[in-house]
Amino acid sequence: GLEVVERLRTRPDYAAFRSVPLLVRTSVNRTDDARRIRGLGVEGYFLKPLPRPDLLRAVAAIRADISLPDPGARPRPSLSLGAHLRHHRILVVEDNPVNRLVATATLEKAGYRVEVATNGHEALAAVRDHDFQLVLLDIQMPGMDAIEASKRIRALEAENGNGVHLPVIALTAHALDEERERCLAAGMDDFLAKPFRAEDLLGILERWTRPRPSGNGAGPDGSPAAMASGDARVEPSPDEDPPLDLDAFRAVLEAAGIPEVYETTLSLFEEDLPRRRAEIEAARKAGDPVALAEAAHAIKSAAGNVRADRLNALVSDLETAGRRSDRERIDELWPDVSGELERVGSFLRGR
């Protein structure tokens, strides 16, 4: 492999390849190889196996003209761009603590600087007072919602008059055409459905944080925004056991490079569940379908993140019934939702 690299970099008959970025993977870590590679001007040198998220970050770094770590600096390099992406500051606006932790940990692991807000008012204040390269904005939040927050962010840009366009990416559990239209109409640039995979999140950030033409609703290349979405929801069987697929959840975190947040994320979900259940019960007793839908929505995306698949499906149906003010369907669904909430809670307490 190194002989090929040497030819590509030094021989006149391969001159056309001299400006092509090169990443080298090897099974062994030898000091002479590191010295030789540094001398050949290779952009990155990694030991196999190279996890896919690390490879994606390496390619993103090269495309953004960011230097990769010195190949000889560590005995077993694991690509981390934290020191090189400190100028990329991302604002995560998410009121759900589980979703907020997963998004923040994924971004920080990739090397981004992250600040958080829990509602539209906080987001607007943060954008007014600080410079960000991108905003991830949860669609459904208490107080000022994402649609209004996005409109006000665009109004601030118009007031500033400096031509700077701040990319705003919608985070939503509703992968529907009408939701996308609402996002674009409010001045958002792109769309990511929850729960999302790490590669989807990092991919959309890489697209929108590289230099691009400004323009409302335009994609990074000036084309209409390409709406990204996660996997379609899978309807789990009512008899599925256990209520959380912890192996799948752990695999998602490992693929994202953040296995260390496994216990913290489950603990946050467990702590938040009784409060959300109480909100649903109170809204149901008060005959308030709007409040019930909001409480169900809060559980839905977090349940999707931790792979509580049946709970995710049930509260999604409950949310839809609430939004339609379908009290008969709400009453029909509640025993199953209540039972699954109890089953998930017992499972978490006993693990």
Side-chain angles (χ1 to χ4, degrees):
L2 293 185
E3 290 178 8
V4 174
V5 171
E6 193 165 11
R7 289 185 184 186
L8 291 175
R9 286 295 191 239
T10 62
R11 284 180 47 166
D13 44 335
Y14 291 106
F17 290 93
R18 287 181 189 169
S19 61
V20 176
L22 294 176
L23 291 175
V24 174
R25 296 193 307 161
T26 179
S27 319
V28 293
N29 184 35
R30 296 187 301 203
T31 305
D32 349 351
D33 285 351
R35 290 200 197 98
R36 194 171 161 197
I37 285 174
R38 279 198 299 273
L40 293 172
V42 168
E43 281 70 19
Y45 168 42
F46 309 101
L47 285 180
K48 294 189 281 188
L50 176 60
R52 185 180 178 190
D54 286 353
L55 177 60
L56 291 173
R57 286 194 288 272
V59 173
I62 289 171
R63 292 180 66 181
D65 197 23
I66 297 168
S67 300
L68 296 178
D70 182 350
R74 288 172 288 182
R76 182 177 177 85
S78 173
L79 178 62
S80 173
L81 304 179
H84 308 282
L85 289 176
R86 286 178 186 155
H87 61 289
H88 282 159
R89 178 187 280 182
I90 309 300
L91 177 64
V92 174
V93 189
E94 169 67 74
D95 66 307
N96 187 288
V98 173
N99 298 341
R100 193 164 59 239
L101 173 63
V102 171
T104 299
T106 301
L107 295 174
E108 288 179 341
K109 187 73 174 183
Y112 292 98
R113 293 174 59 193
V114 181
E115 294 190 23
V116 299
T118 60
N119 57 53
H121 292 289
E122 292 180 6
L124 198 62
V127 169
R128 187 183 293 115
D129 297 339
H130 304 284
D131 290 329
F132 295 98
Q133 277 63 56
L134 185 139
V135 176
L136 291 169
L137 190 58
D138 182 40
I139 287 294
Q140 191 165 340
M141 297 179 294
M144 184 194 298
D145 67 10
I147 299 297
E148 181 62 25
S150 180
K151 290 178 180 177
R152 295 199 188 187
I153 288 172
R154 297 304 176 219
L156 278 177
E157 288 177 346
E159 288 174 17
N160 291 337
N162 56 12
V164 175
H165 180 82
L166 174 63
V168 177
I169 310 301
L171 300 177
T172 177
H174 302 293
L176 304 173
D177 289 341
E178 53 265 35
E179 186 83 335
R180 300 178 184 193
E181 292 303 320
R182 287 180 67 224
C183 293
L184 289 176
M188 300 186 205
D189 299 283
D190 215 331
F191 179 102
L192 188 61
K194 299 185 293 185
F196 46 76
R197 297 170 298 181
E199 55 262 42
D200 294 331
L201 176 61
L202 296 177
I204 207 169
L205 261 70
E206 192 276 325
R207 287 203 303 276
W208 285 99
T209 54
R210 68 174 184 255
R212 65 184 184 85
S214 62
N216 184 32
D221 57 357
S223 62
M227 295 299 190
S229 65
D231 293 335
R233 191 185 84 197
V234 176
E235 294 289 348
S237 163
D239 299 323
E240 191 170 276
D241 190 60
L244 278 75
D245 188 344
L246 294 182
D247 289 338
F249 174 51
R250 192 189 298 274
V252 168
L253 296 181
E254 287 175 353
I258 52 171
E260 65 276 7
V261 304
Y262 175 83
E263 286 295 339
T264 307
T265 305
L266 289 177
S267 295
L268 279 173
F269 182 65
E270 180 183 355
E271 291 168 11
D272 196 48
L273 215 52
R275 178 169 69 92
R276 301 298 185 184
R277 176 181 183 138
E279 289 173 353
I280 292 177
E281 288 181 324
R284 180 170 166 267
K285 289 176 182 175
D288 186 345
V290 174
L292 182 142
E294 289 177 354
H297 176 85
I299 294 177
K300 179 177 67 174
S301 55
N305 267 322
V306 300
R307 293 302 306 273
D309 294 335
R310 183 165 188 259
L311 178 60
N312 173 272
L314 286 168
V315 293
S316 179
D317 290 343
L318 187 66
E319 179 189 10
T320 300
R323 296 198 185 287
R324 294 173 177 169
S325 297
D326 187 343
R327 298 176 190 275
E328 184 177 342
R329 179 62 175 157
I330 289 171
D331 290 341
E332 181 184 320
L333 285 167
W334 176 242
D336 285 339
V337 172
S338 177
E340 191 64 15
L341 284 167
E342 181 56 39
R343 198 165 78 100
V344 168
S346 297
F347 177 81
L348 289 169
R349 290 189 296 271
R351 66 188 177 88

